[in-house]
Amino acid sequence: MSRTMIILLALVAIVFAVSWAAKSASLDDQYDDYISRGFLITLAAFLTLSILSFLYKDNPFYKFAEHLFVGVSAAYWMSLGFWSTIVGNLIPRLSVTLSAFFKVPHIEDEYALYILPDKVSYFIPVVLGILLLMRLSKKAGWISSWPLAFIVGTTAGLNLVRYLRSDFIEQVSSTFVPLLVDWQGTGRFFSDFNLYAYGQFVTMLGNWVIFIGVLCGLVYFFFSKEHKGIFGGASRVGIWVLMITFGASFGYTVMGRISLLVGRLTFLFHDWLELIG
Amino acid sequence: MKFKMLLALILLCFVSAVSGFGQSAEEIMALPDSMAMAPPAPPSNVRGVDTDNDHGHSITLTWETSPDDGAGLNNVIGYKVFRAESPDGPFIERALIPSGGTGHIDVGAKEKDANDYLPDHVGFYYKVRAITADSLIYAESEVFGPVQSYGQWFNTGRVPVLVFVIFFLFVTLFFIQKAKGGANLFVRRLAGIEAVDEAIGRATEMGKPILYVLGLGTAADIATIASYTILGRVAKKVAEYQTGLIVPCYDPIVMTVAQETVKASYMDAGRPDAYYEDMVYFVTQSQFAYVAAVNGTMLRERPATNIYMGKFYAESLILAETGALAGSIQISGTDEIAQIPFFVVACDYTLIGEELYAASAYLGREPLLLGSLKAQDYAKAAAIIIAIIGFITMNFGIEAFKHLFYVSN
Amino acid sequence: MKRQIPLLLVLVFGIFMIFQYFVPHESSEWIYEFFLDWIYIIGIFALALGIWSLIRVSYDKIKYKKPNWQYAVITLAGLFAMILFGFDYGRHFFSAEGLSNYMFRAFFDYILIPIQATMFSLLAFFIASAAYRAFRARSLLATLLLVSALVVMLRFNPYFGPIGPYLEQTASWLLNVPNLAAKRAIIIGIGLGMVATALKVILGIERAYLGKD
């Protein structure tokens, strides 16, 4: 460890200790557990700054926060999954003894399923789950592809019909727009150029752009035809429309992202340092 | 404390009593009027049938409005729907429909222990009451029944989807047969895919690994399935070139599948010895913890190429910008529309939407995959033709064509 | 045999789920719900595999003193501490009350949440650097992207005087009209890609996800 590193660590430790003491003191009259609260808020601030330090370059503080984050979050999701899915939903349906052990109320067969009794139908995923765990064995590892096949097959079938409907049929049929709006005379037609307004010209222009944009966009996605001639022209218009759109959604997101940073700065300056009210 | 609560309770009783008196006073005042108001004519022709295309537990009711609804005495303000298990009652109120209403779908719960459980195959009796502003003056229709609800075995409202499934299946099988027969299927250039080979070559020259990110999708997401195939091809090339491969995973099942895929590719390439399980590893199932770890990997391992394929959310830009700042060549592909702009800006090559799904056919060049790519193109052509026909019919005021594509729930 | 059974399972369950979509009957609905539950439950078992992978990779790092091995210790410490708190070693051992354990909550509120929010907020910097990257690009497509991004980004900017309202209108038009067209084209393409991929999976043409035996 280099000298500068040691000095830096010592400095950070001092700042941390001072902040802990000061924070605890300021929380003294609000909470009984002010010492641990002071510690936790200081820790949160330290971790926040550690992550932000990544913007400068990779460094031991970032590495620390990152590795801690990975471990804690993995365990968090595991605990949550275990208690809510396994204990919360599976065990009450599986066995009286296990329900009693985990102190959850047992659920009797609530549905009269036509094919399998309830208990059996919940033993199946347990068996599949155990088959999946067989991966850890060298000899019987191949059997773990059965539960995977179940998951992939089920969801493939499910998604096939679902997306065919929502992403294909419904999208295509909503492209059927009237491109000629009821004619109300030239005066009316050219009256309102405000792009917000639903004047005839603007509405029609919008409908045309949508219609042609969708067609050209689809042409861009043709894979088995050379993009040449008219086809190439349409495909080029398609990619232009895509790029304009990407730009617009990029621009649209910027402000939202900046407000996230403001949120963190508020934590540092308000909750931790109490510099702003 | 208790004293205060008691006081509050007394006060509350007092206030409600006063307002109660107030109401009854109004009613008394209104009485002469309502006495004068004659009851409306009842709604007629109440009919009930099992609701179509559903799982049961629902009955569709229709009736004709009271002649005094919007005309005549014009005092009907709505209809109340009542249901009973016998024609003599007891009837329970099921719905309140505003005046002018001529129908109601009585949907009950399917769970036996639910409060409004509506059993199938049980005869129910319905009556409809035309109500007026005065709760005492109303008129009831004749009781209709018995009517039973039951579930259907085919949803006719979803026929358009079925037609397209069959169409798609046939087109796919046709082109696969054609491709198997040796027909040469042309496929246009896709820069993002061509870049994959180049990028692996570059990584080999530099002696640096390739980072492959499968995204945050579950093993169930089709984008992830498409990504496995691309990973398979990439891993095979990587094994041939003897370059390193790093695959950090977000979802444990995805990790399992990815391990299988990579292992198979190494075997295919004839280098099973070079494969080790921890090339593909699990990080955590927390979005930003995963990002933090992958970012760290990018800066520490300095991969020559980062490939992002699959489902991505807000982390797309964090990953892609870190990779760009670290100087890696980046190739991305996602079907998450909101994230495509960020990949386009920060990556060298981006597969936009459908291109992600086409990529596996490009990399594999197997007739089977190319055949299905051709089928995709035909379906797109169909979409364009349908859109044009739809546009023409709409502009001539023919709505029927559009109705062909209506899918009910 | 080892290879055929999974492919058969995929085919059977895939076709079943397609049929299920057209059958509104209750029994079909129950099976559908059961299947989704099953996938969820299998997922939790898989999480054990994930955690095992995390532990093994970290352990190997420490054992072979790979670069940055010290940090693997922190990962493992955080992991085991959080698991221990989650199972609340002590008063409510082995009950769901572990999730309301003081330390479990504290780790969540003061470690997970701040780091998570900060990682997310890095986006503010990255979006700026990405915008800069787009600014340097010299191609027609990049320019189109940049111009429309600028128009939308500056739409509420009060310093443009008379052209301000036009900018605002153009921005809102861009977001409503071409945006809709492009998204629809992309979505239709994605829909077809998904359908094709799902079909390939069900028919056993696409089998990379099963590995090889």
Side-chain angles (χ1 to χ4, degrees):
Chain A
M1 211 184 272
S2 68
R3 247 179 90 105
T4 38
M5 198 63 222
I6 293 172
I7 295 171
L8 192 66
L9 276 177
L11 243 139
V12 170
I14 292 167
V15 170
F16 192 93
V18 170
S19 157
W20 181 4
K23 198 72 214 170
S24 305
S26 86
L27 293 172
D28 189 3
D29 45 356
Q30 293 175 48
Y31 301 102
D32 293 337
D33 55 346
Y34 58 94
I35 293 179
S36 59
R37 258 174 208 274
F39 176 82
L40 289 170
I41 292 180
T42 309
L43 176 68
F46 167 72
L47 293 171
T48 302
L49 291 172
S50 301
I51 292 288
L52 286 176
S53 73
F54 172 76
L55 291 166
Y56 172 60
K57 66 174 195 188
D58 191 28
N59 63 69
F61 297 109
Y62 177 75
K63 285 182 200 164
F64 172 81
E66 171 209 318
H67 283 82
L68 182 68
F69 192 18
V70 167
V72 170
S73 67
Y76 174 78
W77 286 106
M78 201 188 96
S79 304
L80 210 64
F82 181 79
W83 290 118
S84 65
T85 306
I86 301 283
V87 177
N89 281 315
L90 179 65
I91 288 191
R93 295 186 169 84
L94 220 51
S95 117
V96 183
T97 332
L98 277 176
S99 305
F101 178 74
F102 283 106
K103 305 181 189 78
V104 280
H106 178 68
I107 299 176
E108 281 302 318
D109 284 14
E110 49 189 333
Y111 317 122
L113 188 67
Y114 297 81
I115 300 169
L116 297 169
D118 213 28
K119 288 230 166 37
V120 176
S121 61
Y122 277 101
F123 268 110
I124 295 172
V126 174
V127 171
L128 288 174
I130 291 167
L131 288 185
L132 191 68
L133 292 182
M134 297 296 270
R135 281 188 59 75
L136 297 175
S137 133
K138 280 227 158 57
K139 259 189 180 164
W142 57 273
I143 208 166
S144 70
S145 62
W146 291 14
L148 293 180
F150 164 74
I151 294 178
V152 171
T154 314
T155 49
L158 181 67
N159 287 329
L160 193 153
V161 276
R162 207 195 262 170
Y163 286 105
L164 188 63
R165 176 191 176 168
S166 69
D167 282 19
F168 186 73
I169 298 176
E170 285 177 1
Q171 292 295 328
V172 173
S173 66
S174 52
T175 313
F176 304 169
V177 283
L179 299 190
L180 288 173
V181 181
D182 292 339
W183 187 252
Q184 290 164 351
T186 9
R188 283 294 293 275
F189 186 76
F190 292 111
S191 64
D192 202 348
F193 284 112
N194 187 328
L195 288 177
Y196 281 141
Y198 289 92
Q200 245 192 339
F201 179 76
V202 174
T203 315
M204 265 181 64
L205 179 76
N207 282 354
W208 276 96
V209 170
I210 289 174
F211 186 70
I212 292 173
V214 171
L215 294 197
C216 292
L218 282 176
V219 168
Y220 169 77
F221 286 114
F222 263 83
F223 301 109
S224 61
K225 195 162 160 52
E226 192 97 58
H227 288 186
K228 275 184 186 160
I230 301 177
F231 204 74
S235 142
R236 214 164 307 129
V237 173
I239 188 74
W240 290 346
V241 177
L242 292 187
M243 283 299 160
I244 291 173
T245 301
F246 294 154
S249 30
F250 186 90
Y252 191 70
T253 328
V254 171
M255 287 314 287
R257 298 305 187 227
I258 288 173
S259 68
L260 293 170
L261 182 63
V262 173
R264 279 333 279 164
L265 294 179
T266 313
F267 166 75
L268 287 178
F269 290 105
H270 172 75
D271 295 0
W272 180 45
L273 296 174
E274 298 177 20
L275 288 177
I276 51 172
Chain B
M1 191 65 189
K2 269 185 186 158
F3 176 71
K4 268 187 198 164
M5 275 173 65
L6 197 69
L7 204 69
L9 197 68
I10 293 170
L11 203 68
L12 202 70
C13 290
F14 182 71
V15 168
S16 54
V18 166
S19 54
F21 282 133
Q23 248 173 25
S24 56
E26 263 170 38
E27 266 170 30
I28 294 163
M29 298 274 282
L31 211 52
D33 257 338
S34 58
M35 290 291 273
M37 184 155 75
S44 54
N45 220 359
V46 175
R47 290 285 172 274
V49 286
D50 168 57
T51 309
D52 214 7
N53 292 335
D54 72 345
H55 64 195
H57 309 289
S58 164
I59 287 167
T60 303
L61 295 163
T62 52
W63 60 84
E64 283 166 21
T65 53
S66 154
D68 296 320
D69 180 356
L73 295 174
N74 203 6
N75 58 354
V76 175
I77 60 162
Y79 298 95
K80 276 185 179 171
V81 177
F82 291 88
R83 188 182 77 199
E85 288 187 31
S86 100
D88 313 318
F91 279 90
I92 47 165
E93 187 183 325
R94 292 292 297 165
L96 177 62
I97 314 288
S99 61
T102 58
H104 171 65
I105 298 176
D106 185 20
V107 183
K110 61 180 179 178
E111 291 83 11
K112 281 199 181 79
D113 48 355
N115 275 337
D116 67 337
Y117 173 60
L118 199 162
D120 278 345
H121 308 293
V122 171
F124 282 110
Y125 296 84
Y126 283 92
K127 65 180 180 185
V128 179
R129 175 187 291 180
I131 56 166
T132 63
D134 188 324
S135 60
L136 297 174
I137 296 173
Y138 54 80
E140 279 181 358
S141 71
E142 282 171 18
V143 173
F144 175 82
V147 54
Q148 296 188 347
S149 86
Y150 51 91
Q152 276 71 39
W153 287 98
F154 183 71
N155 188 339
T156 51
R158 287 180 173 177
V159 166
V161 181
L162 186 63
V163 170
F164 275 102
V165 169
I166 293 168
F167 164 77
F168 214 86
L169 183 69
F170 273 101
V171 177
T172 307
L173 291 177
F174 173 76
F175 280 107
I176 285 174
Q177 278 309 318
K178 212 172 156 187
K180 268 186 181 166
N184 191 20
L185 300 179
F186 170 81
V187 178
R188 83 167 155 93
R189 231 182 120 248
L190 210 61
I193 289 301
E194 284 175 7
V196 170
D197 281 343
E198 194 186 302
I200 297 171
R202 181 172 174 257
T204 316
E205 275 169 30
M206 293 169 69
K208 290 201 167 146
I210 285 176
L211 178 76
Y212 194 102
V213 182
L214 285 146
L216 299 197
T218 61
D221 282 311
I222 307 273
T224 316
I225 293 180
S227 185
Y228 296 141
T229 320
I230 302 171
L231 172 63
R233 314 285 181 215
V234 169
K236 197 174 164 194
K237 291 243 163 66
V238 164
E240 283 163 3
Y241 289 1
Q242 303 191 28
T243 315
L245 180 66
I246 308 172
V247 188
C249 295
Y250 167 83
D251 182 289
I253 300 184
V254 171
M255 172 199 79
T256 313
V257 178
Q259 281 173 346
E260 286 297 315
T261 311
V262 172
K263 192 171 161 192
S265 301
Y266 271 72
M267 283 180 167
D268 254 11
R271 301 203 43 90
D273 50 307
Y275 171 78
Y276 56 98
E277 190 121 295
D278 294 343
M279 274 177 176
V280 183
Y281 58 92
F282 174 75
V283 183
T284 170
Q285 215 163 10
S286 159
Q287 184 183 15
F288 288 104
Y290 176 73
V291 178
V294 176
N295 269 2
T297 308
M298 280 183 201
L299 293 191
R300 276 158 232 151
E301 308 285 339
R302 297 266 163 193
T305 307
N306 303 331
I307 304 179
Y308 314 100
M309 298 278 171
K311 266 219 161 341
F312 290 86
Y313 301 99
E315 73 287 353
S316 64
L317 188 64
I318 305 183
L319 292 174
E321 264 306 301
T322 309
L325 295 172
S328 309
I329 285 200
Q330 305 201 91
I331 306 169
S332 58
T334 185
D335 65 353
E336 198 55 42
I337 298 177
Q339 304 307 325
I340 298 174
F342 303 119
F343 275 147
V344 168
V345 170
C347 294
D348 301 274
Y349 302 95
T350 303
L351 300 175
I352 301 167
E354 193 184 359
E355 291 176 340
L356 168 69
Y357 295 106
S360 69
Y362 274 88
L363 286 164
R365 294 264 161 194
E366 288 164 21
L368 292 175
L369 298 175
L370 288 178
S372 89
L373 198 61
K374 193 85 187 163
Q376 251 164 283
D377 273 3
Y378 269 81
K380 243 170 296 174
I384 292 178
I385 293 167
I386 292 169
I388 292 173
I389 297 176
F391 145 66
I392 294 170
T393 52
M394 275 302 274
N395 284 298
F396 283 97
I398 306 163
E399 294 272 332
F401 188 74
K402 188 168 180 150
H403 288 307
L404 286 180
F405 297 91
Y406 178 72
V407 182
S408 77
N409 275 314
Chain C
M1 185 63 177
K2 279 182 190 175
R3 188 109 179 100
Q4 261 69 42
I5 290 179
L7 286 176
L8 190 71
L9 287 175
V10 169
L11 182 73
V12 169
F13 284 109
I15 290 180
F16 175 82
M17 287 310 269
I18 295 176
F19 275 112
Q20 185 279 331
Y21 180 78
F22 298 100
V23 180
H25 198 270
E26 214 171 337
S27 43
S28 135
E29 216 171 32
W30 286 132
I31 299 175
Y32 167 82
E33 281 167 22
F34 270 115
F35 279 6
L36 292 193
D37 277 356
W38 290 5
I39 292 176
Y40 218 68
I41 292 165
I42 298 171
I44 303 292
F45 279 88
L47 199 51
L49 283 180
I51 301 279
W52 173 246
S53 159
L54 180 64
I55 292 174
R56 207 188 41 212
V57 170
S58 304
Y59 176 75
D60 277 1
K61 252 191 200 169
I62 299 167
K63 191 173 164 197
Y64 300 111
K65 296 263 186 306
K66 290 183 184 170
N68 294 314
W69 64 272
Q70 303 90 332
Y71 297 100
V73 178
I74 293 164
T75 302
L76 290 182
L79 179 82
F80 287 121
M82 196 65 171
I83 289 180
L84 218 59
F85 299 141
F87 286 78
D88 200 354
Y89 188 75
R91 284 165 304 150
H92 320 287
F93 184 53
F94 256 94
S95 86
E97 284 169 48
L99 296 185
S100 53
N101 170 291
Y102 179 81
M103 287 305 284
F104 192 82
R105 303 291 329 161
F107 266 48
F108 179 74
D109 289 337
Y110 294 97
I111 293 179
L112 276 189
I113 293 294
I115 302 186
Q116 190 164 313
T118 315
M119 276 311 292
F120 201 8
S121 76
L122 289 181
L123 270 174
F125 296 99
F126 286 139
I127 206 159
S129 70
Y132 176 68
R133 197 180 307 283
F135 195 67
R136 287 185 316 176
R138 299 263 182 277
S139 75
L140 174 65
L141 293 182
T143 315
L144 280 174
L145 187 141
L146 179 70
V147 170
S148 87
L150 280 177
V151 169
V152 175
M153 233 186 282
L154 301 175
R155 66 191 183 286
F156 295 132
N157 198 308
Y159 304 110
F160 286 101
I163 58 162
Y166 292 105
L167 209 60
E168 214 177 309
Q169 281 179 30
T170 316
S172 103
W173 188 79
L174 282 178
L175 288 170
N176 287 327
V177 178
N179 195 16
L180 184 70
K183 280 201 174 138
R184 194 166 284 161
I186 298 176
I187 291 176
I188 293 174
I190 289 172
L192 287 176
M194 283 194 177
V195 172
T197 310
L199 203 58
K200 281 187 279 185
V201 166
I202 294 170
L203 296 177
I205 298 169
E206 183 92 80
R207 47 175 83 168
Y209 64 91
L210 281 179
K212 293 220 171 74
D213 48 6

